[in-house]
Amino acid sequence: MSVQYPQGRATAGEKPRNEPEEVKLQNASKQIVQDAIRQAVRQVSQESRQREESTSDNRGTFQLGVGELTKKHEKK
C-alpha cells in the first residue's frame, strides 16, 4: 500500500506546506532568477561596450601611428 498525496502537495518524507507559503517561496525563487538574469545581461552589455570602446581606441591610435610614420618618412 502506497501513500498518495494530491498533486502539488508534499511527497513521502516531506512535511505538507500550506499553499500561501508555497506561493511566496515560488515567487521569491522567480524573483531571484529574474534578478540574476538582469545582472548577467547588464554585465555582458557593459563588457561588450568596454570591448568596443577599447577596439575603437586602438584603431584610432593605430591609424594615428601610421600617419605619423608616413609624415616622418616624407620629411626625410
Side-chain angles (χ1 to χ4, degrees):
M1 181 170 154
S2 65
V3 177
Q4 293 183 358
Y5 293 96
Q7 209 170 21
R9 302 266 180 187
T11 58
E14 291 184 6
K15 295 179 182 178
R17 291 188 217 156
N18 60 12
E19 290 291 324
E21 185 178 329
E22 190 170 329
V23 170
K24 285 180 186 177
L25 289 172
Q26 287 175 347
N27 289 338
S29 294
K30 287 177 186 177
Q31 188 63 48
I32 290 169
V33 170
Q34 289 174 349
D35 290 346
I37 291 170
R38 282 189 200 107
Q39 183 179 356
V41 168
R42 260 188 253 123
Q43 183 177 347
V44 169
S45 297
Q46 183 180 11
E47 289 173 359
S48 295
R49 265 185 262 125
Q50 288 173 346
R51 240 181 271 120
E52 288 174 10
E53 289 172 2
S54 174
T55 303
S56 66
D57 288 348
N58 288 341
R59 285 185 196 152
T61 303
F62 180 72
Q63 289 173 348
L64 288 174
V66 169
E68 289 171 4
L69 288 174
T70 303
K71 289 177 186 175
K72 286 179 183 176
H73 185 301
E74 290 174 1
K75 289 180 182 178
K76 289 184 178 181

